[in-house]
Amino acid sequence: DTAVSQTPKYLVTQMGNDKSIKCEQNLGHDTMYWYKQDSKKFLKIMFSYNNKELIINETVPNRFSPKSPDKAHLNLHINSLELGDSAVYFCASSQVQGGLTGANVLTFGAGSRLTVL
Amino acid sequence: GENVEQHPSTLSVQEGDSAVIKCTYSDSASNYFPWYKQELGKGPQLIIDIRSNVGEKKDQRIAVTLNKTAKHFSLHITETQPEDSAVYFCAASKGYSSASKIIFGSGTRLSIRP
């Protein structure tokens, strides 16, 4: 199946630990993203990469470090986890289309629910 | 930067009735306005989008309108069905490049009453 897949789906960990979430897309898209969705469902962009190059880096604590080994993969590593990091993290990908029929359609993964105790 | 406000936060309608969700944006340079539907336990999925050179777009029971002057855009769902129950997000973006941030509204939880 063509998709954006992220692992793990659920992650429960203690404060202070370090954890990683992995994302892979087989859609052939050039751009990948990490979004954070908090308990109120608010979706906020964190990072985007285009062909392994960091493009968008929002105001995110430097405990969060994305890594893109190739354009099909974008991983998120979080150091020294805090209670406020509890959220659902969504990976997404897109193939930007310019011109008069321009679009930037995001294809999201199913999300990784991180719970910090 | 861009700010997108969305109302209402929750909406309950009788099956068969229409539902309307409204959004406003702050950056007059924004030119792409997608709408996403998020079902329980899943990631958001695009259902319709509109560009700033178009005032209205329709796809079966779903329509979106855009008022650039007022910086408003709305989602209209007619003849609602139980499967329309989900969280809906409006969004706004400027330009069509990998550097274009898609900024989401706060979401509307739509419930369809049988």
Side-chain angles (χ1 to χ4, degrees):
Chain A
D1 288 344
T2 55
V4 177
S5 55
Q6 48 183 116
T7 55
K9 191 170 176 63
Y10 299 99
L11 192 51
V12 181
T13 188
Q14 298 286 331
M15 260 196 319
N17 284 350
D18 303 339
K19 290 294 177 185
S20 292
I21 306 172
K22 295 185 176 182
C23 179
E24 175 182 4
Q25 56 95 4
N26 61 2
L27 298 164
H29 291 168
D30 288 337
T31 307
M32 295 185 72
Y33 308 80
W34 279 111
Y35 275 83
K36 178 181 180 181
Q37 186 171 48
D38 63 22
S39 57
K40 295 183 179 179
K41 294 292 187 181
F42 192 65
L43 266 171
K44 186 172 181 183
I45 188 167
M46 301 173 68
F47 304 102
S48 80
Y49 273 75
N50 181 262
N51 279 319
K52 303 191 296 178
E53 181 184 349
L54 179 65
I55 301 296
I56 296 173
N57 185 354
E58 286 296 275
T59 310
V60 176
N62 57 15
R63 299 181 294 104
F64 290 78
S65 52
K67 279 191 174 56
S68 182
D70 56 60
K71 76 171 195 176
H73 295 84
L74 179 61
N75 303 322
L76 183 65
H77 187 75
I78 315 170
N79 289 326
S80 304
L81 279 157
E82 300 178 357
L83 293 176
D85 297 333
S86 295
V88 180
Y89 292 85
F90 284 99
C91 177
S93 70
S94 73
Q95 186 65 39
V96 176
Q97 177 183 330
L100 291 176
T101 57
N104 189 7
V105 178
L106 299 177
T107 301
F108 283 88
S112 296
R113 181 178 293 277
L114 171 65
T115 302
V116 182
L117 304 175
Chain B
E2 176 64 279
N3 183 48
V4 178
E5 295 193 358
Q6 181 172 348
H7 300 280
S9 57
T10 59
L11 180 60
S12 177
V13 301
Q14 194 75 35
E15 183 178 349
D17 288 350
S18 296
V20 180
I21 303 170
K22 298 182 179 182
C23 291
T24 60
Y25 60 99
S26 60
D27 189 342
S28 56
S30 289
N31 59 356
Y32 177 61
F33 306 93
W35 286 86
Y36 284 79
K37 175 183 180 182
Q38 185 177 20
E39 296 177 338
L40 195 61
K42 296 183 179 179
Q45 186 173 9
L46 181 79
I47 53 172
I48 194 167
D49 56 11
I50 190 168
R51 293 160 194 81
S52 58
N53 58 350
V54 174
E56 185 173 359
K57 183 177 178 180
K58 190 174 181 180
D59 182 4
Q60 298 183 349
R61 297 186 296 108
I62 293 173
V64 59
T65 58
L66 171 65
N67 181 331
K68 284 191 297 183
T69 304
K71 292 188 279 188
H72 290 172
F73 58 115
S74 301
L75 178 72
H76 304 252
I77 306 174
T78 58
E79 300 172 19
T80 52
Q81 299 171 4
E83 55 264 35
D84 295 330
S85 294
V87 179
Y88 291 80
F89 292 93
C90 62
S93 175
K94 183 167 52 179
Y96 306 109
S97 77
S98 55
S100 302
K101 295 178 193 177
I102 297 180
I103 305 299
F104 285 84
S106 53
T108 296
R109 186 177 297 277
L110 174 64
S111 300
I112 307 300
R113 303 190 304 271

